């Protein structure tokens, strides 16, 4: 109990007194933000450099855990998959374990540095990462105990030779993680540790549950351990280490990491706002730089798509990206801040497509391959958005082939990599995914038994993907394809229920499923018909044609009424019952869910309905309600920056409602000044005069010196540099940005 109280007090100092004196961008980053989840997965205090291959965090359930499970060496995926594990130990041989569960205290976490006291062991630990290597410092404080170091390696091979441990761990899908680890003091003994027995006669071990122990003479010891990791070979791991870390000084590595973080975070400079605002902003930007990861090693990389090592040809190879989450805001943010990196990411996706068996564009590329999670194929949005925002240093024809194949040749059933079948044929013929009645049995073998058909979500998402395809085809002058996919992009209309104003599932005969509850029909996560969120969220999932959606609902006033109604509609059941069925539907304001990505564009839709002051109010209130500089300051799963990118855009004062259309909707900036450093040395500034917590409403605007009465601007307006100047007040202006002639652009269909 005492240790827990001390940790909480120390955290309070970190969030309070320490932050008050912060100057550099990285000093505002709080890796603890969101470390206690509302329901599902917390954020993790990840120590890494931006988009780097090597990353670690304390291996525990969440911040409330009283123990950390050894010390991490490498973490390769979203929710775990720790590779190797270090356990420093003091005592006699009876204290040895494969992995030690430590009671800990005085933990410090910064993006570039980690320190902790391991209480029972009386050990002090420091850590700092580079891109593909890292260093640990251990202070063994007991003079009467033998110092040990245990390296646990799972399934694979390890060898101790002098002051070096090297080998590999098998992961999955033929991926191996190699390690080359050097200790600054040679151990006096070592050997295999298996079934709680230390065998000094074997310095090399292979197979399952591999584990090595090294020991030093009894007495105090200051030990430094530096290591490199690789997906290619032990020799490459050694080269990675020697290239990046020249000494055994943790502080030198941490200092270099701090500089790198400040350079990256400093691409956006903010002034004004509250301390909480600055911490939330830069912590969110830090989260956006978590994924995807660059796995190029000296110009080479290992691909799980063909199990070969390839030259990267001067373009870094990235993986571990969850497009269902990241296409909405994380990819558009990277287009602004680092066009070269975003282009390399797209090239990486194309290499994955080229080397995969079916040549389909990936949907959920992880280090171990494309897991095909979630629904739809939103790589189409990534490509369309990049191309129409001026990123042209990749083969668009090739990208189009891979994306088209992923939509046409792969099943539309969620969480499946099966070939297209009857579900796709039905969609092509009827223009929607057929839904099952509650007691009707599944007839398509490619449908996941838990994830279900998600009939409405897949229909709406595929219509949007096909709009993106039409945008790409038009850029390639493929007029027939462009026209075909443009027509398909209206398929959302096939499920619109004019009587209720919701997208409503239909059966194979074209009849709406009845009776129906827009909160709870669809089973766990509403997956029979929607996906993780209910019908109230998917009611707005037509980002490519908001104007048409407004028309379907009966005009702007009815549209606004429906938006307002969502934010005020009660859960319908107790929280216990609601979240038992819809655990992803967190961060609720009425039926709106701030905790899941399909909601992110919704508060901006007022701009398209001649009520931008409502967007200004709603965005400010949502961010302040749900994203806070504290342990529960994240309303849902961040999904590799999926939610955090919404925060970064929204706090700057604008948002990309429709990836694939080079347009940003204006919200309400949280800072009096925002400077975005663009490529080529250009800067786009947002100046919000009188901006404060209360002064959230825009009274007037100028864009590059010209009077601006639109609640939106284009990507081109930004990229040459310039300034958006806003006059702010605590009173809403119901005139600014409301003219019909000033509404955001939207897809139209002649005569329909």
């Amino acid at each position: 109990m005492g240790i827990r109280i001390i940790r909480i007090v120390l955290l309070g100092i970190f969030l309070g007194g320490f932050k008050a004196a912060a100057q550099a961008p990285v000093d505002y980053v709080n890796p603890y933000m969101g470390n206690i989840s509302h329901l599902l997965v917390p954020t993790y205090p990840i120590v890494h450099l931006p988009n780097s291959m090597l990353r670690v965090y304390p291996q525990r359930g969440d911040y409330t855990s009283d123990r950390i499970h050894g010390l991490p060496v490498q973490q390769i995926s979203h929710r775990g998959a720790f590779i190797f594990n270090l356990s420093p130990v003091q005592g006699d041989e009876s204290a040895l374990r494969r992995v030690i569960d430590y009671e800990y205290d005085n933990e410090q976490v910064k993006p570039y540095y980690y320190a902790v006291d391991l209480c029972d062991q009386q050990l002090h630990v420091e850590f700092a990462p580079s891109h593909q290597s890292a260093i640990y410092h251990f202070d063994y404080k007991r003079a009467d105990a033998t110092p040990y170091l245990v390296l646990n390696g799972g399934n694979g091979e390890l060898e101790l030779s002098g002051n070096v441990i090297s080998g590999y761990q098998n992961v999955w899908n033929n991926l191996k993680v190699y390690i080359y680890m050097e200790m600054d003091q040679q151990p006096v003994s070592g050997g295999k540790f298996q079934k709680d027995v230390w065998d000094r006669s074997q310095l090399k071990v292979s197979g399952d549950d591999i584990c090595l122990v090294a020991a030093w003479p009894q007495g105090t010891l200051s030990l430094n351990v530096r290591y490199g990791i690789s997906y290619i070979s032990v020799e490459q791991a050694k080269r990675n280490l020697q290239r990046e870390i020249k000494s055994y000084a943790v502080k030198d590595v941490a200092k270099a990491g701090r500089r790198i973080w400040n350079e990256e975070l400093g691409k956006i400079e903010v002034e004004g706002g509250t301390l909480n605002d600055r911490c939330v902003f830069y912590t969110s930007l830090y989260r956006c730089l978590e994924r995807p990861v660059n796995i190029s090693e000296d110009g080479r990389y290992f691909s799980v798509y063909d199990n070969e090592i390839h030259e990267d040809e001067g373009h870094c190879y990235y993986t571990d990206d969850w497009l269902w989450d990241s296409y909405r805001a994380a990819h558009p943010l990277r287009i602004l801040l680092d066009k070269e990196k975003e282009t390399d990411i797209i090239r990486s996706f194309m290499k994955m497509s080229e080397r995969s068996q079916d040549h389909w564009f990936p949907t959920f590329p992880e280090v171990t391959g494309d897991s095909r999670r979630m629904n739809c194929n939103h790589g189409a949005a990534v490509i369309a958005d990049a191309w129409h925002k001026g990123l042209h240093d990749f083969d668009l024809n090739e990208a189009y082939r891979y994306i088209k194949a992923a939509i046409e040749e792969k099943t539309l059933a969620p969480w499946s990599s099966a070939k297209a079948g009857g579900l796709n044929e039905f969609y092509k013929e009827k223009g929607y995914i057929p839904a099952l009645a509650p007691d009707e049995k599944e007839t398509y073998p490619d449908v996941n038994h838990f994830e279900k058909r998600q009939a409405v979500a897949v229909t709406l998402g595929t219509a949007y993907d096909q709009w993106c395809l039409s945008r790409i085809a038009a850029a390639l002058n493929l007029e027939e394809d462009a026209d075909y996919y443009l027509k398909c992009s209206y398929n959302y209309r096939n499920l619109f229920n004019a009587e209720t104003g919701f997208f409503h599932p239909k059966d194979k005969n074209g009849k709406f499923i009845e009776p129906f509850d827009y909160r709870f029909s669809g089973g766990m996560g509403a997956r029979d018909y929607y996906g993780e969120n209910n019908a109230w969220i998917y009611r707005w999932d037509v980002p490519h044609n908001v104007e048409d959606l407004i028309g379907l609902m009966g005009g702007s006033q009815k549209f606004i009424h429906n938006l307002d109604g969502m934010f005020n509609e009660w859960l319908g059941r107790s929280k216990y019952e609601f979240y038992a069925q819809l655990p992803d539907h967190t961060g609720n304001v009425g039926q709106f869910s701030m905790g899941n990505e399909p909601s992110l564009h919704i508060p901006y839709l007022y701009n398209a309905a001649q009520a931008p002051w409502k967007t200004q109010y709603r965005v400010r209130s949502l961010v302040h309600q749900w994203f806070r500089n504290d342990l529960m300051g994240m309303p849902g799963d961040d999904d590799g920056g999926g939610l955090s990118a919404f925060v970064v855009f929204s706090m700057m004062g604008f948002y990309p409602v429709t990836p694939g259309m080079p347009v940003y909707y204006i919200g309400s900036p949280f800072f009096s000044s925002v400077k975005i450093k663009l490529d080529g040395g250009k800067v786009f500034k947002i100046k919000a005069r009188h901006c404060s917590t209360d002064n959230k409403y825009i009274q007037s605007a100028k864009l590059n010196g010209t009077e601006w009465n639109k609640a939106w601007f284009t990507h081109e307006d930004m990229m040459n540099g310039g300034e958006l100047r806003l006059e702010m007040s605590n009173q809403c202006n119901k005139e600014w940005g409301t003219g019909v002639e000033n509404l955001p652009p939207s897809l139209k269909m002649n005569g329909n």
Side-chain angles (χ1 to χ4, degrees):
M1 179 64 73
I3 288 172
R4 174 60 52 202
I5 291 172
I6 291 170
R7 288 184 62 215
I8 292 173
V9 170
L10 287 171
L11 179 62
I13 293 171
F14 178 81
L15 300 186
F18 174 76
K19 286 292 188 181
Q23 296 294 325
V26 75
D27 293 324
Y28 291 108
V29 174
N30 175 16
Y32 287 114
M33 178 178 152
N35 284 188
I36 300 176
S37 66
H38 289 247
L39 277 182
L40 298 178
V41 179
T43 62
Y44 297 104
I46 299 179
V47 185
H48 68 110
L49 300 186
N51 302 102
S52 286
M53 191 165 86
L54 191 140
R55 55 199 52 238
V56 308
Y57 60 83
Q59 191 172 353
R60 58 191 178 214
D62 65 13
Y63 179 83
T64 65
S65 300
D66 285 328
R67 301 286 189 275
I68 54 176
H69 189 63
L71 297 172
V73 173
Q74 167 70 336
Q75 178 256 345
I76 66 166
S77 71
H78 172 31
R79 296 173 182 174
F82 285 88
I83 307 302
F84 302 109
N85 195 294
L86 272 178
S87 293
V89 183
Q90 292 183 103
D92 55 35
E93 290 185 34
S94 65
L96 294 176
R97 299 288 185 274
R98 292 175 55 79
V99 180
I100 304 294
D101 285 331
Y102 296 109
E103 189 178 74
Y104 64 104
D105 195 9
N106 299 325
E107 185 178 71
Q108 297 181 54
V109 184
K110 300 177 183 180
Y112 55 88
Y113 174 77
Y114 177 75
V116 69
D117 287 336
L118 306 179
C119 303
D120 292 345
Q121 292 293 328
Q122 297 182 36
L123 272 156
H124 176 70
V125 178
E126 294 179 82
F127 171 87
S130 190
H131 298 283
Q132 295 162 352
S133 60
I135 185 168
Y136 270 107
H137 171 75
F138 304 113
D139 279 329
Y140 295 80
K141 297 183 178 181
R142 290 176 55 190
D144 61 342
T146 299
Y148 301 95
L149 191 63
V150 183
L151 180 62
N152 176 47
N155 174 275
E157 182 176 289
L158 287 174
E159 181 177 12
L160 173 62
S161 177
N163 71 326
V164 173
I165 298 177
S166 62
Y168 64 86
Q169 181 172 337
N170 291 305
V171 185
W172 184 75
N173 198 20
N174 294 310
L175 181 71
K176 293 180 178 178
V177 180
Y178 297 90
I179 188 168
Y180 178 85
M181 177 180 288
E182 296 177 342
M183 299 160 281
D184 68 343
Q185 297 188 47
Q186 184 164 322
V188 294
S189 62
K192 179 177 75 170
F193 184 74
Q194 196 167 33
K195 296 181 180 180
D196 294 332
V197 175
W198 182 14
D199 184 352
R200 294 173 177 80
S201 68
Q202 294 195 46
L203 299 180
K204 186 173 184 179
V205 58
S206 61
D208 293 325
D209 300 325
I210 59 174
C211 192
L212 284 178
V213 172
W216 289 264
Q218 188 179 82
T220 57
L221 175 70
S222 178
L223 178 66
N224 295 295
V225 177
R226 61 188 183 186
Y227 64 93
I229 54 115
S230 172
Y231 297 145
I232 294 174
S233 67
V234 168
E235 292 74 20
Q236 184 62 53
K238 181 179 180 179
R239 285 193 288 270
N240 294 343
L241 170 63
Q242 293 176 338
R243 171 172 23 89
E244 295 181 345
I245 300 179
K246 308 297 185 183
S247 72
Y248 282 101
V250 170
K251 293 296 191 290
D252 290 347
V253 180
K255 183 178 179 180
R258 176 182 171 84
R259 175 184 54 78
I260 291 168
W261 271 112
N262 277 324
E263 288 174 356
E264 197 71 23
L265 296 172
K267 290 180 178 179
I268 307 176
E269 295 180 2
V270 300
E271 296 178 12
T274 66
L275 178 60
N276 181 80
D277 290 340
R278 294 194 295 277
C279 292
V280 169
F281 179 79
Y282 280 114
T283 301
S284 298
L285 187 53
Y286 147 80
R287 298 282 180 204
C288 294
L289 296 165
E290 187 179 308
R291 314 284 173 169
V293 297
N294 175 5
I295 65 169
S296 282
E297 308 175 48
D298 286 331
R300 300 187 303 157
Y301 62 91
F302 174 76
S303 172
V304 294
Y305 292 87
D306 61 0
N307 299 314
E308 297 288 341
I309 297 168
H310 299 274
E311 300 290 329
D312 70 12
E313 300 173 341
H315 298 280
C316 295
Y317 184 83
Y318 290 85
T319 186
D320 208 19
D321 188 20
W322 316 314
L323 298 182
W324 190 86
D325 307 288
S326 61
Y327 86 89
R328 306 166 197 267
H331 279 273
L333 181 63
R334 202 158 34 241
I335 288 173
L336 290 181
L337 301 181
D338 199 327
K339 291 165 59 176
E340 181 179 352
K341 184 185 293 183
E342 180 66 12
T343 301
D344 281 350
I345 291 167
I346 289 171
R347 287 172 170 268
S348 301
F349 293 159
M350 293 168 63
K351 290 296 185 183
M352 296 173 194
S353 307
E354 176 188 343
R355 295 181 182 125
S356 65
Q357 181 178 351
D358 297 301
H359 308 302
W360 298 338
F361 202 82
T363 61
F364 224 89
E366 299 179 79
V367 177
T368 51
D370 188 358
S371 61
R372 295 286 171 189
R373 303 190 198 190
M374 306 305 294
N375 56 46
C376 303
N377 293 274
H378 295 318
V382 172
I383 298 300
D385 198 48
W387 191 265
H388 286 283
K389 289 177 179 174
L391 276 65
H392 294 166
D393 193 17
F394 62 92
D395 189 329
L396 188 63
N397 272 293
E398 185 180 357
Y400 180 66
R401 288 199 307 272
Y402 297 144
I403 295 165
K404 183 177 178 181
I407 294 174
E408 298 286 354
E409 298 174 13
K410 190 191 84 66
T411 179
L412 292 176
W415 289 70
S416 175
S417 57
K419 295 247 172 63
L423 207 59
N424 293 58
E425 292 303 316
F426 189 100
Y427 177 82
K428 286 182 180 180
E429 181 181 351
K430 302 292 186 180
Y432 70 93
I433 299 295
L436 297 175
D439 296 326
E440 191 176 355
K441 291 185 178 181
E442 182 56 68
T443 56
Y444 292 111
D446 48 336
V447 174
N448 183 287
H449 74 281
F450 178 79
E451 293 296 333
K452 307 299 180 64
R453 294 186 184 184
Q454 302 181 20
V456 176
V458 173
T459 298
L460 302 182
T462 302
Y464 168 67
D465 289 343
Q466 291 177 313
W467 174 77
C468 293
L469 275 179
S470 76
R471 295 277 288 161
I472 301 170
L476 292 169
N477 296 315
L478 301 174
E479 295 183 8
E480 186 175 341
D481 276 15
D483 290 344
Y484 170 74
Y485 286 119
L486 180 62
K487 185 175 181 180
C488 291
S489 75
Y490 281 80
N491 281 341
Y492 59 86
R493 288 180 169 182
N494 296 325
L495 294 184
F496 188 76
N497 187 331
E499 292 186 8
T500 65
F502 282 84
F503 290 105
H504 194 130
K506 284 181 178 177
D507 65 19
K508 62 185 179 183
N509 298 315
K511 295 182 179 180
F512 288 125
I513 299 293
E514 296 288 358
F516 202 82
D517 184 332
Y518 290 122
R519 295 182 186 90
F520 300 113
S521 289
M524 177 60 76
R527 285 177 171 86
D528 286 320
Y529 310 127
Y530 304 97
E532 297 190 346
N533 294 106
N534 65 20
W536 282 89
I537 300 303
Y538 284 93
R539 192 179 196 183
W540 316 98
D541 200 22
V542 189
H544 59 294
N545 205 350
V546 181
E547 182 180 350
D548 189 51
L549 182 60
I550 292 172
L552 289 174
M553 288 189 179
S556 292
Q557 292 307 307
K558 183 63 175 176
F559 186 83
I560 292 169
H561 173 78
N562 290 342
L563 272 172
D564 289 345
M566 173 192 54
F567 288 110
N568 290 279
E569 185 72 16
W570 79 296
L571 293 183
R573 295 176 184 170
S574 69
K575 287 185 178 181
Y576 174 85
E577 294 173 293
F578 184 91
Y579 293 122
Q581 183 182 341
L582 295 161
D584 293 277
H585 198 118
T586 53
N588 281 79
V589 178
Q591 286 293 325
F592 176 80
S593 166
M594 190 70 261
N596 210 3
E597 284 79 8
S599 301
L600 300 185
H601 70 294
I602 295 175
Y604 286 90
L605 296 181
Y606 288 108
N607 283 10
Q610 300 172 266
W613 72 91
K614 284 183 173 282
T615 283
Q616 294 155 31
Y617 165 79
R618 190 58 68 183
V619 170
R620 281 284 200 101
S621 63
L622 285 169
V623 172
H624 277 149
Q625 286 164 349
W626 291 110
F627 298 93
R628 303 179 311 278
N629 183 34
D630 62 42
L631 289 167
M632 296 189 72
M634 176 66 64
D637 297 357
D638 191 32
D639 295 315
L643 293 184
S644 290
F646 165 85
V647 176
V648 172
F649 269 118
S650 294
M651 295 187 83
M652 289 194 294
F654 59 101
Y655 187 75
V657 167
T658 311
M661 186 180 292
V663 168
Y664 303 97
Y665 285 32
I666 297 174
S668 177
F670 286 59
F671 306 103
S672 57
S673 174
V674 177
K675 294 181 181 179
I676 306 170
K677 299 177 183 178
L678 308 170
D679 286 342
K682 297 175 182 177
V683 177
F684 185 76
K685 302 176 183 178
I686 300 172
K687 297 288 186 178
R689 190 166 176 261
H690 303 307
C691 178
S692 69
T693 301
D694 294 328
N695 293 348
K696 64 180 75 71
Y697 296 108
I698 297 171
Q699 303 301 299
S700 63
K702 287 186 177 180
L703 181 62
N704 297 328
T706 301
E707 195 79 17
W708 195 255
N709 291 308
K710 301 175 182 179
W712 59 278
F713 57 86
T714 69
H715 184 73
E716 186 178 4
D717 291 329
M718 292 185 66
M719 295 314 292
N720 289 322
E723 181 178 270
L724 175 65
R725 184 172 289 272
L726 306 171
E727 293 288 329
M728 310 298 292
S729 169
N730 65 353
Q731 299 295 313
C732 62
N733 182 344
K734 295 187 178 182
E735 301 300 322
W736 182 83
T738 61
V740 174
E741 71 280 7
N742 293 326
L743 292 177
S746 185
L747 174 62
K748 296 180 180 179
M749 194 171 189
N750 295 333
N752 292 318

